């Protein structure tokens, strides 16, 4: 699009990661949607760097409601999402080292409170499931059989394809540079031209606070945190394909089978400026050290290393709602470490609210509320 033209839309969504793609998907049947992405491909940042896990009891009550409300959608998606399952049962096993029993007990209580399936395992049973665990480092274990692997690429592409089928438009290499509001319309200036719409949705991931500043919106106090991950090969005689995702009750390491390798992380969370973040050698070394301590594995050289930014507001729940001071400016932010597993319900919820509609009953039934999503709650917490 030549830079001097200004095209009209009903909704402009900024950022084509999982958050932007899902809300654009749910909005597209209701109006003209333009989804703007700075990079040459959507999903280049955090969305393309996740561990692809669906953990039902992870995060705050709001996060859990969004996660549980997304499950049916991932299990029975429409045709745009392809023929392959989006979710595959893997199971997850929390392992408590000596001294971490209380953390495991607290997690068991959360699972019980939510009525989610879980099973206490003896250290022997845990080591039978994942034989590389060092028995002396396992004091207790908890299995969550319904934890799943997610096909992140298929979910993301399904949202984009579904949006496209309803007339929505994805524009890549369109960096939003300025936002102006006048006469009930936002003008969105980008490196690929200008768009106008009464409603702008900010799904810019780690850059959401910056986009908020461009719009004169109230800060939501979003902080991006760096997390490293790596894959490594297992000894030839170890078949890990049926291992659950295995994670420490102290939240300082996890690993899961991934296409014949193990994917692992030191589960670090280091505050970082928004950027194309790269893995720090120290983070990878820490991950290797912690996994070698917990298991009998020797990790000589990772096959692949990467890092991504998980962006949180102070209460670690997601933010979906109109800004307090910038009219027609809607936040879809703070996806933290749950932006994939919550994406179906978060997109649906935000699309309803951005259209001025109430939350669908389906989502209310999971305990989700407009107030729990709204950026206004952050005001009250300040
Ligand atoms: C190591 C790691 C493991 C994780 N594991 C899981 C997991 O197992 N399960 C899970 O559910 N979640 C997981 N997550 C979290 C999940 O990946 C994120 O919550 C999710 O991807 C965030 O999506 P997003 O769309 O908000 O951000 P992004 O994917 O970063 O998308 C934001 C987009 O906005 C674009 N943008 C920014 N500024 C502009 C601008 N000015 N103009 C135009 N476009 C702009 C960016 O280019 C980017 O593409 C993990 C994250 C990490 C790092």
């Amino acid at each position: 699009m030549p830079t001097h033209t200004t095209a009209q839309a009903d909704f402009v969504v900024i950022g084509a990661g999982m958050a932007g793609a899902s809300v654009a998907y749910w909005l597209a049947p209701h109006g003209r949607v333009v989804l703007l992405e700075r990079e040459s491909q959507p999903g280049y940042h955090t969305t393309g760097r996740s561990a692809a896990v669906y953990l039902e009891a992870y995060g705050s009550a709001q996060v859990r409601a969004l996660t549980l409300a997304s499950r049916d959608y991932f299990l029975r998606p429409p045709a745009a999402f392809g023929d392959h399952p989006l979710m595959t049962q893997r199971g997850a096993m929390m392992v408590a080292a000596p001294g971490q029993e209380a953390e495991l007990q607290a997690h068991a209580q959360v699972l019980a409170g939510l009525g989610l399936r879980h099973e206490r395992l003896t250290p022997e049973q845990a080591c039978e499931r994942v034989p590389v665990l060092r028995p002396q480092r396992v004091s207790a274990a908890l299995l969550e059989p319904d934890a799943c692997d997610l096909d992140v690429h298929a979910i993301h592409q399904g949202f984009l394809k579904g949006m496209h089928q309803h007339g929505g438009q994805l524009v890549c290499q369109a960096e939003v540079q300025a936002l102006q509001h006048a006469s009930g319309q936002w003008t969105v200036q980008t490196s690929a031209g200008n768009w106008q719409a009464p409603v702008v949705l900010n799904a810019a991931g780690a850059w959401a606070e910056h986009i908020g500043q461009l719009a004169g919106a109230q800060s939501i106090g979003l902080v991006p945190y760096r997390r490293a991950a790596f894959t490594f090969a297992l000894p030839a005689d170890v078949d890990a394909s049926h291992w659950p995702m295995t994670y420490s009750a102290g939240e300082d390491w996890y690993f899961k089978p991934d296409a014949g390798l193990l994917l692992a992380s030191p589960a670090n969370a280091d505050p970082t400026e928004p950027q194309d973040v790269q893995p720090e050698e120290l983070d990878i070394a820490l991950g290797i050290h912690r996994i070698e301590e917990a298991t009998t594995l020797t990790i000589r050289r990772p096959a692949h290393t990467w890092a991504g930014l998980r962006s949180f507001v102070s209460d670690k729940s997601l933010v979906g709602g109109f800004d307090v001071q910038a009219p027609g400016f809607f936040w879809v932010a703070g996806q933290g470490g749950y932006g994939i597993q919550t994406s179906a319900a978060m997109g649906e919820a935000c699309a309803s609210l951005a259209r001025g509609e109430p939350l669908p009953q389906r989502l209310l039934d999971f305990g989700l509320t407009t107030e729990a999503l709204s950026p206004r709650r952050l005001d009250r917490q300040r």
Side-chain angles (χ1 to χ4, degrees):
M1 164 163 301
T3 45
H4 56 272
T5 62
T6 300
Q8 183 68 39
D10 296 307
F11 304 98
V12 167
V13 182
I14 302 172
M18 195 59 92
S22 61
V23 73
Y25 166 83
W26 289 99
L27 281 171
H30 303 280
R32 289 163 297 174
V33 173
V34 175
L35 175 57
L36 301 173
E37 170 54 49
R38 179 187 53 208
E39 306 296 342
S40 57
Q41 63 187 67
Y44 173 75
H45 287 288
T46 311
T47 294
R49 307 179 190 203
S50 88
V53 175
Y54 176 96
L55 268 180
E56 293 170 306
Y58 196 23
S60 69
Q62 182 237 52
V63 171
R64 295 193 299 254
L66 287 165
T67 302
L68 291 168
S70 295
R71 185 181 184 101
D72 269 359
Y73 207 83
F74 293 144
L75 285 175
R76 282 173 282 280
F81 291 79
D83 297 333
H84 292 287
L86 301 180
M87 289 219 315
T88 317
Q89 195 158 8
R90 151 112 11 242
M93 185 168 73
M94 179 186 268
V95 175
Q100 293 176 337
E101 297 81 2
E103 285 89 335
L104 187 130
Q105 172 62 18
H107 191 57
Q109 275 167 0
V110 170
L111 286 157
L114 291 167
L116 297 172
R117 290 207 298 155
H118 61 288
E119 191 187 333
R120 292 273 192 167
L121 300 180
T122 62
E124 294 71 31
Q125 288 169 324
C127 294
E128 262 167 43
R129 282 180 191 267
V130 179
V132 295
L133 287 172
R134 289 186 196 274
Q136 68 275 25
R137 302 279 306 173
V138 185
S139 156
L142 189 66
L143 186 72
E144 296 161 63
D146 295 324
C148 290
D149 286 335
L150 293 169
D151 186 336
V152 178
H153 183 71
I155 296 170
H156 190 220
Q157 288 301 314
F159 285 135
L160 293 173
K161 198 169 160 195
M163 174 198 72
H164 188 66
Q165 283 169 353
H166 282 100
Q169 188 193 359
L170 167 66
V171 187
C172 289
Q173 291 179 297
E175 178 174 15
V176 173
Q177 293 165 337
L179 284 158
Q180 275 135 23
H181 191 257
S183 311
Q185 292 277 341
W186 283 99
T187 300
V188 184
Q189 286 177 29
T190 83
S191 50
N194 301 342
W195 279 266
Q196 238 176 18
V199 177
V200 166
L201 294 100
N202 175 12
W207 290 266
E209 195 71 54
H210 169 68
I211 295 293
Q213 280 165 10
L214 292 182
Q218 187 162 313
S219 166
I220 59 167
L222 189 77
V223 181
Y225 292 89
R226 185 184 73 243
R227 173 159 289 188
F230 56 99
T231 53
F232 61 95
L234 286 159
D237 58 343
V238 176
D239 175 13
S241 56
H242 293 99
W243 292 359
M245 176 213 181
T246 304
Y247 66 110
S248 139
E251 288 194 47
D252 57 357
W253 57 263
Y254 65 78
F255 58 77
K256 67 168 242 185
D258 182 60
L261 304 173
L262 273 198
L263 182 164
S265 171
N268 58 315
D270 300 296
T272 307
E273 288 297 309
Q275 59 184 279
D276 182 0
V277 70
Q278 299 303 313
E280 301 280 330
E281 269 180 40
L282 207 61
D283 297 345
I284 303 296
L286 196 62
I288 291 176
H289 171 71
R290 288 176 180 166
I291 287 166
E292 287 187 339
E293 248 184 7
T295 70
T296 53
L297 293 168
T298 305
I299 306 168
R300 289 214 168 74
R301 200 165 171 273
H304 177 48
T305 64
W306 69 95
L309 294 176
R310 301 154 79 247
S311 299
F312 292 92
V313 295
S314 56
D315 65 8
K316 304 244 181 326
S317 290
L318 280 67
V319 182
F322 280 107
D323 185 64
V324 184
Q325 62 191 33
F329 184 81
F330 193 99
W331 292 89
V332 189
Q335 272 69 11
Y338 337 97
I340 315 296
Q341 64 178 38
T342 54
S343 59
M346 183 64 177
E348 186 181 5
C350 290
S352 292
L353 298 173
R355 285 161 41 231
E357 300 283 329
L359 288 180
Q361 188 61 44
R362 198 186 80 71
L363 299 181
L364 294 173
D365 290 345
F366 281 92
L368 201 64
T369 64
T370 306
E371 295 69 35
L373 285 166
S374 170
R376 287 175 193 276
R377 73 175 195 268
L378 300 166
D379 263 1
R380 284 193 289 274
Q381 286 164 16
R382 274 196 193 108

